[in-house]
Amino acid sequence: MEKKNPCIVMVPSPGLSHLIPLVEFAKILTHDDDELHVKLMIPTLGPPSSSMNSILNKNSLPPNITFTLLPQVNVEDLTITDENPQPATQMQLTVKHSLPFLHQELTSLITSTNHNILAILFSLFSTDVLDLAKEFNLLSYVFFASGALFLSFCLHLPHLDDQQQQHEHEQEESLLFHHQLTEKTTVNVPGCPVPFQVHDFPQPALSQRSTQAYKSFLGVCIKYSLVDGVLVNTFTDLEADLIRAIEDQANNRENTNSPFVYPIGPIIQSATSNQVNRLECLRWLDNQPPRSVLYISFGSGGTLSQEQLNEIAFGLELSGHKFLWVVRDPSNFGGSAYLNQQKEDPLRYLPSGFVERTKEQGLVVPSWAPQVEILGHGSTGGFLSHCGWNSTLESIVHGVPMIVWPLFAEQRMNAVLLKDVLKVALMPEKVVDNDEDGIVKREEIARVIKRMMEENKEGLEMRKRIKELSDAAAAALTQNGSSHKALSTLTKKLKCSI
Protein backbone atom coordinates (compact mmCIF):
# COMPACT_ATOMS: atom_id res chain seq x y z
CA MET A 1 0.00 0.00 0.00
CA GLU A 2 1.25 3.47 -0.88
CA LYS A 3 2.47 5.47 2.11
CA LYS A 4 0.36 8.54 2.86
CA ASN A 5 1.96 11.87 3.70
CA PRO A 6 0.96 13.34 7.09
CA CYS A 7 -1.05 16.50 6.55
CA ILE A 8 -2.40 19.33 8.71
CA VAL A 9 -5.34 21.38 7.47
CA MET A 10 -5.33 25.06 8.46
CA VAL A 11 -8.34 27.37 8.24
CA PRO A 12 -7.53 31.06 8.88
CA SER A 13 -10.11 33.66 9.80
CA PRO A 14 -10.57 36.36 7.14
CA GLY A 15 -8.06 39.20 7.37
CA LEU A 16 -4.31 39.51 6.92
CA SER A 17 -3.61 39.60 10.66
CA HIS A 18 -4.89 36.02 10.88
CA LEU A 19 -3.46 34.73 7.60
CA ILE A 20 0.11 36.01 8.05
CA PRO A 21 1.00 34.27 11.35
CA LEU A 22 -0.70 31.07 10.21
CA VAL A 23 1.39 30.97 7.03
CA GLU A 24 4.54 31.70 9.03
CA PHE A 25 3.64 28.90 11.47
CA ALA A 26 3.12 26.51 8.55
CA LYS A 27 6.63 27.34 7.35
CA ILE A 28 8.04 26.53 10.80
CA LEU A 29 6.16 23.22 10.99
CA THR A 30 7.34 22.04 7.58
CA HIS A 31 10.89 23.39 7.73
CA ASP A 32 12.46 20.34 9.39
CA ASP A 33 9.96 17.74 8.19
CA ASP A 34 9.91 17.11 4.45
CA GLU A 35 7.13 14.54 4.83
CA LEU A 36 4.68 16.86 6.60
CA HIS A 37 2.24 18.75 4.38
CA VAL A 38 0.10 21.75 5.26
CA LYS A 39 -3.07 22.54 3.35
CA LEU A 40 -4.52 26.04 3.87
CA MET A 41 -8.26 26.32 3.18
CA ILE A 42 -9.01 30.04 3.15
CA PRO A 43 -12.53 31.50 3.56
CA THR A 44 -12.99 34.68 1.52
CA LEU A 45 -15.36 37.63 1.60
CA GLY A 46 -14.03 39.16 -1.61
CA PRO A 47 -11.28 38.88 -4.20
CA PRO A 48 -7.75 38.44 -2.81
CA SER A 49 -5.88 41.68 -2.18
CA SER A 50 -2.41 42.32 -3.55
CA SER A 51 -1.05 41.76 -0.03
CA MET A 52 -2.76 38.36 0.20
CA ASN A 53 -1.44 37.38 -3.22
CA SER A 54 2.05 38.35 -2.08
CA ILE A 55 1.78 36.22 1.09
CA LEU A 56 0.48 33.23 -0.86
CA ASN A 57 2.94 33.58 -3.73
CA LYS A 58 3.94 30.04 -4.62
CA ASN A 59 7.53 31.16 -5.14
CA SER A 60 7.72 32.16 -1.46
CA LEU A 61 6.02 29.01 -0.10
CA PRO A 62 7.81 25.66 0.26
CA PRO A 63 6.38 22.88 -1.94
CA ASN A 64 4.77 21.09 1.00
CA ILE A 65 2.53 24.09 1.78
CA THR A 66 -0.43 24.45 -0.56
CA PHE A 67 -3.62 26.50 -0.37
CA THR A 68 -7.15 26.72 -1.69
CA LEU A 69 -9.14 29.94 -1.79
CA LEU A 70 -12.68 28.88 -0.98
CA PRO A 71 -15.53 30.39 -3.04
CA GLN A 72 -16.32 33.95 -2.03
CA VAL A 73 -19.09 34.51 0.47
CA ASN A 74 -21.48 37.30 -0.49
CA VAL A 75 -21.55 39.90 2.29
CA GLU A 76 -25.30 40.30 1.69
CA ASP A 77 -25.76 36.64 2.66
CA LEU A 78 -24.24 37.06 6.11
CA THR A 79 -27.60 38.10 7.62
CA ILE A 80 -26.10 40.46 10.16
CA THR A 81 -28.90 41.84 12.33
CA ASP A 82 -26.90 44.33 14.40
CA GLU A 83 -27.04 47.97 13.37
CA ASN A 84 -23.24 48.38 13.57
CA PRO A 85 -21.72 44.95 12.84
CA GLN A 86 -18.30 44.19 14.31
CA PRO A 87 -15.47 42.77 12.16
CA ALA A 88 -15.39 39.72 14.45
CA THR A 89 -19.02 38.97 13.62
CA GLN A 90 -18.35 39.30 9.89
CA MET A 91 -15.35 36.99 10.15
CA GLN A 92 -17.22 34.35 12.13
CA LEU A 93 -20.18 34.38 9.73
CA THR A 94 -17.90 34.25 6.69
CA VAL A 95 -16.36 31.03 8.02
CA LYS A 96 -19.78 29.64 8.93
CA HIS A 97 -21.06 30.21 5.39
CA SER A 98 -17.90 28.56 4.04
CA LEU A 99 -18.46 25.27 5.92
CA PRO A 100 -20.06 23.47 2.93
CA PHE A 101 -17.03 24.36 0.80
CA LEU A 102 -14.70 23.22 3.61
CA HIS A 103 -16.60 19.95 3.93
CA GLN A 104 -16.18 19.32 0.23
CA GLU A 105 -12.45 20.09 0.33
CA LEU A 106 -11.90 17.89 3.40
CA THR A 107 -13.77 15.00 1.84
CA SER A 108 -11.65 15.27 -1.29
CA LEU A 109 -8.42 15.46 0.73
CA ILE A 110 -9.31 12.49 2.94
CA THR A 111 -10.24 10.28 -0.01
CA SER A 112 -7.06 11.13 -1.89
CA THR A 113 -4.39 8.44 -1.91
CA ASN A 114 -1.48 10.52 -0.66
CA HIS A 115 -2.68 12.40 2.44
CA ASN A 116 -3.22 11.33 6.03
CA ILE A 117 -4.84 14.24 7.88
CA LEU A 118 -3.54 14.53 11.44
CA ALA A 119 -5.50 17.56 12.64
CA ILE A 120 -7.47 20.66 11.73
CA LEU A 121 -5.99 23.91 12.98
CA PHE A 122 -8.14 27.04 12.78
CA SER A 123 -7.95 30.71 13.73
CA LEU A 124 -9.69 32.72 16.45
CA PHE A 125 -12.98 33.28 14.65
CA SER A 126 -13.04 30.02 12.66
CA THR A 127 -14.31 27.91 15.57
CA ASP A 128 -17.32 26.58 13.61
CA VAL A 129 -14.74 24.37 11.89
CA LEU A 130 -14.71 22.38 15.16
CA ASP A 131 -17.94 20.71 14.02
CA LEU A 132 -16.17 19.38 10.91
CA ALA A 133 -13.23 18.17 12.99
CA LYS A 134 -15.62 16.11 15.14
CA GLU A 135 -17.48 14.81 12.08
CA PHE A 136 -14.25 13.59 10.49
CA ASN A 137 -12.83 12.41 13.86
CA LEU A 138 -9.78 14.68 13.67
CA LEU A 139 -7.75 16.43 16.35
CA SER A 140 -8.69 20.10 16.60
CA TYR A 141 -6.51 23.06 17.56
CA VAL A 142 -7.05 26.80 17.69
CA PHE A 143 -4.21 28.94 16.39
CA PHE A 144 -4.64 31.99 18.60
CA ALA A 145 -3.08 34.91 16.73
CA SER A 146 -3.38 37.17 19.78
CA GLY A 147 -1.68 36.80 23.15
CA ALA A 148 -2.36 34.87 26.34
CA LEU A 149 -4.07 37.92 27.87
CA PHE A 150 -6.90 37.90 25.36
CA LEU A 151 -7.13 34.11 25.49
CA SER A 152 -7.49 34.20 29.26
CA PHE A 153 -10.28 36.74 28.91
CA CYS A 154 -12.05 34.62 26.28
CA LEU A 155 -11.88 31.49 28.44
CA HIS A 156 -13.18 33.49 31.42
CA LEU A 157 -16.06 35.08 29.51
CA PRO A 158 -18.48 32.10 29.70
CA HIS A 159 -18.03 32.14 33.49
CA LEU A 160 -18.89 35.84 33.58
CA ASP A 161 -21.90 35.13 31.41
CA ASP A 162 -23.12 32.49 33.86
CA GLN A 163 -22.81 35.02 36.66
CA GLN A 164 -24.80 37.54 34.67
CA GLN A 165 -27.64 35.09 34.06
CA GLN A 166 -28.08 34.72 37.81
CA HIS A 167 -29.28 38.34 37.95
CA GLU A 168 -32.59 38.31 36.11
CA HIS A 169 -33.20 42.00 36.77
CA GLU A 170 -30.15 42.80 34.60
CA GLN A 171 -31.48 41.05 31.50
CA GLU A 172 -30.90 42.80 28.16
CA GLU A 173 -28.03 44.75 29.66
CA SER A 174 -24.37 44.49 28.74
CA LEU A 175 -22.66 41.30 29.96
CA LEU A 176 -20.12 43.04 32.14
CA PHE A 177 -21.31 46.59 32.59
CA HIS A 178 -24.91 47.68 32.99
CA HIS A 179 -26.15 51.22 33.58
CA GLN A 180 -25.28 51.27 37.28
CA LEU A 181 -21.58 50.74 36.56
CA THR A 182 -19.28 53.59 35.65
CA GLU A 183 -16.12 54.00 33.64
CA LYS A 184 -14.21 53.59 36.92
CA THR A 185 -15.47 50.02 37.34
CA THR A 186 -12.66 47.49 37.06
CA VAL A 187 -12.68 43.82 36.10
CA ASN A 188 -9.90 41.29 36.66
CA VAL A 189 -8.67 38.86 34.00
CA PRO A 190 -7.17 35.61 35.39
CA GLY A 191 -3.38 35.84 35.37
CA CYS A 192 -3.11 39.60 34.80
CA PRO A 193 -1.77 41.62 37.75
CA VAL A 194 -3.59 44.82 36.80
CA PRO A 195 -7.37 45.32 36.53
CA PHE A 196 -9.12 46.51 33.38
CA GLN A 197 -11.58 49.35 32.97
CA VAL A 198 -14.92 49.06 31.19
CA HIS A 199 -13.75 50.41 27.84
CA ASP A 200 -10.67 48.16 27.68
CA PHE A 201 -12.63 45.10 26.54
CA PRO A 202 -13.59 44.24 22.94
CA GLN A 203 -16.85 45.78 21.84
CA PRO A 204 -18.71 42.48 21.24
CA ALA A 205 -18.26 41.57 24.93
CA LEU A 206 -19.79 44.90 25.92
CA SER A 207 -22.81 44.58 23.66
CA GLN A 208 -26.23 43.74 25.05
CA ARG A 209 -26.67 40.00 25.52
CA SER A 210 -29.46 39.94 22.95
CA THR A 211 -27.30 41.20 20.09
CA GLN A 212 -25.79 39.02 17.40
CA ALA A 213 -22.33 40.46 18.10
CA TYR A 214 -22.41 39.29 21.71
CA LYS A 215 -23.95 35.89 20.98
CA SER A 216 -21.42 35.17 18.23
CA PHE A 217 -18.48 36.22 20.40
CA LEU A 218 -19.66 34.16 23.38
CA GLY A 219 -20.20 31.15 21.12
CA VAL A 220 -16.64 31.44 19.84
CA CYS A 221 -15.28 31.66 23.40
CA ILE A 222 -17.23 28.60 24.55
CA LYS A 223 -15.79 26.50 21.74
CA TYR A 224 -12.22 27.33 22.78
CA SER A 225 -12.62 25.00 25.75
CA LEU A 226 -13.75 22.13 23.49
CA VAL A 227 -10.65 21.80 21.32
CA ASP A 228 -7.64 19.55 21.89
CA GLY A 229 -5.37 22.52 22.46
CA VAL A 230 -4.71 26.18 21.79
CA LEU A 231 -1.53 27.36 20.10
CA VAL A 232 -0.82 30.89 21.32
CA ASN A 233 1.45 33.30 19.49
CA THR A 234 3.33 34.35 22.60
CA PHE A 235 6.26 33.15 24.72
CA THR A 236 6.59 32.25 28.36
CA ASP A 237 8.79 35.16 29.47
CA LEU A 238 6.29 37.62 28.01
CA GLU A 239 3.08 36.31 29.66
CA ALA A 240 4.10 33.63 32.18
CA ASP A 241 1.37 34.35 34.77
CA LEU A 242 -1.32 34.43 32.12
CA ILE A 243 -0.18 31.12 30.60
CA ARG A 244 -0.30 29.50 34.06
CA ALA A 245 -3.78 30.92 34.64
CA ILE A 246 -5.01 29.45 31.34
CA GLU A 247 -3.74 26.01 32.33
CA ASP A 248 -5.51 26.40 35.69
CA GLN A 249 -8.77 27.26 33.90
CA ALA A 250 -8.35 24.13 31.77
CA ASN A 251 -7.70 21.74 34.68
CA ASN A 252 -11.21 20.28 34.53
CA ARG A 253 -10.55 18.80 31.08
CA GLU A 254 -10.74 15.02 30.71
CA ASN A 255 -7.18 14.57 29.38
CA THR A 256 -5.19 16.41 32.03
CA ASN A 257 -1.92 14.75 30.92
CA SER A 258 -1.94 16.75 27.68
CA PRO A 259 -1.17 20.48 27.66
CA PHE A 260 -4.04 22.74 26.74
CA VAL A 261 -2.03 25.83 25.83
CA TYR A 262 1.10 25.79 23.68
CA PRO A 263 3.02 29.11 23.75
CA ILE A 264 4.88 28.81 20.44
CA GLY A 265 5.75 32.43 19.60
CA PRO A 266 6.85 34.90 18.69
CA ILE A 267 5.84 34.03 15.13
CA ILE A 268 6.29 37.04 12.87
CA GLN A 269 7.12 37.67 9.24
CA SER A 270 10.83 37.45 8.56
CA ALA A 271 10.52 39.84 5.62
CA THR A 272 7.87 41.54 3.51
CA SER A 273 7.62 41.68 -0.25
CA ASN A 274 9.86 43.88 -2.37
CA GLN A 275 7.79 46.86 -3.50
CA VAL A 276 8.61 50.39 -4.62
CA ASN A 277 7.47 51.85 -1.30
CA ARG A 278 9.77 49.51 0.55
CA LEU A 279 12.83 50.66 -1.37
CA GLU A 280 11.95 54.31 -0.81
CA CYS A 281 11.33 53.77 2.90
CA LEU A 282 14.59 51.98 3.51
CA ARG A 283 16.65 54.39 1.42
CA TRP A 284 15.19 57.25 3.42
CA LEU A 285 15.87 55.48 6.74
CA ASP A 286 19.45 54.79 5.68
CA ASN A 287 20.06 58.55 5.72
CA GLN A 288 18.66 59.19 9.22
CA PRO A 289 20.56 59.14 12.54
CA PRO A 290 20.32 56.03 14.75
CA ARG A 291 17.03 55.62 16.67
CA SER A 292 15.82 59.04 15.50
CA VAL A 293 12.67 58.08 13.57
CA LEU A 294 9.18 57.47 14.94
CA TYR A 295 7.34 54.92 12.79
CA ILE A 296 3.55 55.39 12.67
CA SER A 297 1.22 52.69 11.39
CA PHE A 298 -2.23 51.43 12.38
CA GLY A 299 -1.88 47.95 10.93
CA SER A 300 -3.52 46.28 7.97
CA GLY A 301 -6.98 47.71 8.64
CA GLY A 302 -6.85 50.53 11.19
CA THR A 303 -8.31 53.89 10.21
CA LEU A 304 -8.76 57.31 11.81
CA SER A 305 -11.32 60.07 11.41
CA GLN A 306 -10.44 63.07 9.27
CA GLU A 307 -10.19 65.25 12.37
CA GLN A 308 -7.84 62.81 14.11
CA LEU A 309 -5.74 62.46 10.98
CA ASN A 310 -5.27 66.23 10.99
CA GLU A 311 -4.32 66.28 14.68
CA ILE A 312 -1.66 63.60 14.19
CA ALA A 313 -0.20 65.53 11.25
CA PHE A 314 0.00 68.76 13.24
CA GLY A 315 1.28 66.88 16.31
CA LEU A 316 4.13 65.33 14.31
CA GLU A 317 5.02 68.71 12.88
CA LEU A 318 4.86 70.32 16.32
CA SER A 319 7.10 67.66 17.89
CA GLY A 320 10.00 68.43 15.56
CA HIS A 321 11.01 64.75 15.54
CA LYS A 322 11.61 62.67 12.47
CA PHE A 323 8.81 60.34 11.40
CA LEU A 324 7.83 57.69 8.87
CA TRP A 325 4.03 57.63 8.61
CA VAL A 326 1.85 55.09 6.80
CA VAL A 327 -1.33 57.01 5.94
CA ARG A 328 -4.69 55.43 5.08
CA ASP A 329 -8.00 56.98 3.93
CA PRO A 330 -9.93 58.42 6.91
CA SER A 331 -13.03 56.77 8.35
CA ASN A 332 -15.14 57.23 11.47
CA PHE A 333 -14.85 53.50 12.25
CA GLY A 334 -11.42 52.44 13.44
CA GLY A 335 -11.37 49.11 11.59
CA SER A 336 -13.05 50.07 8.32
CA ALA A 337 -10.13 48.89 6.14
CA TYR A 338 -9.75 45.53 7.89
CA LEU A 339 -11.93 43.50 5.50
CA ASN A 340 -12.18 46.06 2.69
CA GLN A 341 -9.57 47.23 0.21
CA GLN A 342 -9.06 50.97 -0.15
CA LYS A 343 -8.68 52.54 -3.55
CA GLU A 344 -8.29 56.27 -2.98
CA ASP A 345 -5.10 58.30 -2.59
CA PRO A 346 -4.86 58.84 1.19
CA LEU A 347 -2.26 61.61 0.95
CA ARG A 348 -4.89 63.99 -0.36
CA TYR A 349 -6.60 63.90 3.04
CA LEU A 350 -3.60 65.39 4.85
CA PRO A 351 -3.64 69.07 5.88
CA SER A 352 -2.81 71.44 3.07
CA GLY A 353 0.96 71.91 2.70
CA PHE A 354 1.85 69.31 5.35
CA VAL A 355 3.94 67.07 3.09
CA GLU A 356 5.87 70.01 1.68
CA ARG A 357 6.48 71.63 5.08
CA THR A 358 7.77 68.38 6.64
CA LYS A 359 9.78 66.99 3.71
CA GLU A 360 13.05 67.43 5.66
CA GLN A 361 11.49 66.05 8.84
CA GLY A 362 9.62 62.98 7.71
CA LEU A 363 8.33 60.67 5.01
CA VAL A 364 4.66 59.92 4.34
CA VAL A 365 3.82 56.61 2.66
CA PRO A 366 0.34 55.78 1.28
CA SER A 367 -1.47 52.70 2.65
CA TRP A 368 1.40 50.19 3.03
CA ALA A 369 5.02 49.94 4.17
CA PRO A 370 7.42 47.04 4.89
CA GLN A 371 6.90 47.07 8.65
CA VAL A 372 9.27 44.24 9.58
CA GLU A 373 12.19 45.87 7.81
CA ILE A 374 11.33 49.31 9.22
CA LEU A 375 11.17 48.07 12.82
CA GLY A 376 14.44 46.21 12.32
CA HIS A 377 16.22 49.27 10.92
CA GLY A 378 18.74 51.02 13.17
CA SER A 379 17.23 54.45 12.51
CA THR A 380 13.84 53.48 13.98
CA GLY A 381 13.56 54.58 17.60
CA GLY A 382 9.85 54.29 18.35
CA PHE A 383 6.59 52.87 17.04
CA LEU A 384 3.20 54.58 17.29
CA SER A 385 0.97 51.52 16.94
CA HIS A 386 -2.67 50.42 17.08
CA CYS A 387 -1.53 47.47 19.29
CA GLY A 388 -2.59 44.67 16.99
CA TRP A 389 -0.85 41.55 18.25
CA ASN A 390 1.25 41.01 15.13
CA SER A 391 2.58 44.57 15.35
CA THR A 392 3.11 44.19 19.09
CA LEU A 393 5.26 41.08 18.64
CA GLU A 394 7.21 42.63 15.76
CA SER A 395 8.01 45.65 17.91
CA ILE A 396 9.08 43.46 20.86
CA VAL A 397 11.22 41.19 18.70
CA HIS A 398 13.07 44.20 17.26
CA GLY A 399 13.32 45.99 20.63
CA VAL A 400 11.37 49.11 19.64
CA PRO A 401 9.36 50.85 22.42
CA MET A 402 5.83 51.94 21.57
CA ILE A 403 3.28 54.71 21.76
CA VAL A 404 0.04 52.75 22.00
CA TRP A 405 -3.08 53.96 20.19
CA PRO A 406 -5.69 51.14 20.25
CA LEU A 407 -8.64 51.28 17.86
CA PHE A 408 -10.81 48.14 18.09
CA ALA A 409 -10.93 44.40 18.91
CA GLU A 410 -8.62 43.43 21.83
CA GLN A 411 -6.20 46.28 21.14
CA ARG A 412 -7.06 48.22 24.31
CA MET A 413 -6.25 45.12 26.35
CA ASN A 414 -2.92 44.81 24.56
CA ALA A 415 -2.26 48.48 25.28
CA VAL A 416 -2.80 47.94 29.01
CA LEU A 417 -0.41 44.97 28.93
CA LEU A 418 2.29 46.99 27.17
CA LYS A 419 1.91 50.14 29.25
CA ASP A 420 1.01 48.95 32.75
CA VAL A 421 2.36 45.39 32.96
CA LEU A 422 5.39 45.20 30.68
CA LYS A 423 6.06 48.96 30.91
CA VAL A 424 7.47 49.29 27.39
CA ALA A 425 4.94 51.80 26.06
CA LEU A 426 3.39 55.21 26.53
CA MET A 427 -0.22 56.16 25.84
CA PRO A 428 -1.59 59.62 24.98
CA GLU A 429 -3.64 60.80 27.95
CA LYS A 430 -6.70 61.73 25.95
CA VAL A 431 -7.05 58.14 24.77
CA VAL A 432 -6.92 56.97 28.38
CA ASP A 433 -9.40 59.62 29.53
CA ASN A 434 -11.78 58.76 26.68
CA ASP A 435 -12.85 62.37 26.25
CA GLU A 436 -16.24 63.13 24.73
CA ASP A 437 -15.16 63.77 21.15
CA GLY A 438 -12.61 60.95 21.22
CA ILE A 439 -9.92 63.14 19.68
CA VAL A 440 -6.31 63.21 20.86
CA LYS A 441 -5.12 66.78 20.36
CA ARG A 442 -1.93 67.80 18.59
CA GLU A 443 -0.29 69.20 21.74
CA GLU A 444 -0.73 65.88 23.54
CA ILE A 445 0.59 63.97 20.53
CA ALA A 446 3.70 66.16 20.39
CA ARG A 447 4.23 65.79 24.16
CA VAL A 448 4.13 61.98 24.06
CA ILE A 449 6.41 61.85 21.02
CA LYS A 450 8.98 63.95 22.85
CA ARG A 451 8.76 61.69 25.91
CA MET A 452 9.39 58.69 23.69
CA MET A 453 12.07 60.00 21.36
CA GLU A 454 14.20 62.29 23.53
CA GLU A 455 16.97 61.11 25.85
CA ASN A 456 15.48 60.92 29.34
CA LYS A 457 15.28 58.45 32.23
CA GLU A 458 11.81 57.24 31.28
CA GLY A 459 12.82 56.51 27.69
CA LEU A 460 16.04 54.77 28.69
CA GLU A 461 14.19 52.49 31.11
CA MET A 462 11.64 51.54 28.45
CA ARG A 463 14.40 50.75 25.97
CA LYS A 464 16.18 48.60 28.54
CA ARG A 465 13.01 46.63 29.32
CA ILE A 466 12.07 46.03 25.70
CA LYS A 467 15.66 44.98 24.91
CA GLU A 468 15.34 42.35 27.64
CA LEU A 469 12.06 41.14 26.12
CA SER A 470 13.65 41.09 22.67
CA ASP A 471 16.45 38.88 23.99
CA ALA A 472 13.91 36.63 25.71
CA ALA A 473 11.91 36.33 22.48
CA ALA A 474 14.99 35.16 20.60
CA ALA A 475 15.89 32.70 23.38
CA ALA A 476 12.37 31.19 23.35
CA LEU A 477 12.87 30.01 19.76
CA THR A 478 16.26 28.38 20.29
CA GLN A 479 16.80 24.61 20.64
CA ASN A 480 16.29 24.68 24.40
CA GLY A 481 13.85 27.60 24.43
CA SER A 482 10.34 27.44 25.89
CA SER A 483 8.52 27.93 22.58
CA HIS A 484 10.65 25.34 20.78
CA LYS A 485 9.89 22.82 23.54
CA ALA A 486 6.16 23.57 23.34
CA LEU A 487 6.23 23.03 19.58
CA SER A 488 8.11 19.75 20.00
CA THR A 489 5.49 18.54 22.47
CA LEU A 490 2.76 19.38 19.98
CA THR A 491 4.42 17.67 17.01
CA LYS A 492 5.03 14.50 19.04
CA LYS A 493 1.34 14.37 19.93
CA LEU A 494 0.35 14.86 16.30
CA LYS A 495 2.64 12.11 15.08
CA CYS A 496 1.27 9.74 17.72
CA SER A 497 -2.13 10.11 16.07
CA ILE A 498 -0.88 8.56 12.81
Side-chain angles (χ1 to χ4, degrees), residues 268-288:
I268 65 171
Q269 280 186 297
S270 56
T272 46
S273 59
N274 187 4
Q275 298 186 16
V276 173
N277 281 345
R278 173 194 176 185
L279 298 175
E280 181 185 4
C281 289
L282 297 185
R283 283 200 305 268
W284 184 82
L285 282 172
D286 287 342
N287 295 319
Q288 309 308 318

Side-chain angles (χ1 to χ4, degrees), residues 344-356:
E344 297 189 59
D345 174 17
L347 300 192
R348 71 187 184 94
Y349 293 99
L350 294 172
S352 177
F354 170 77
V355 174
E356 180 63 27

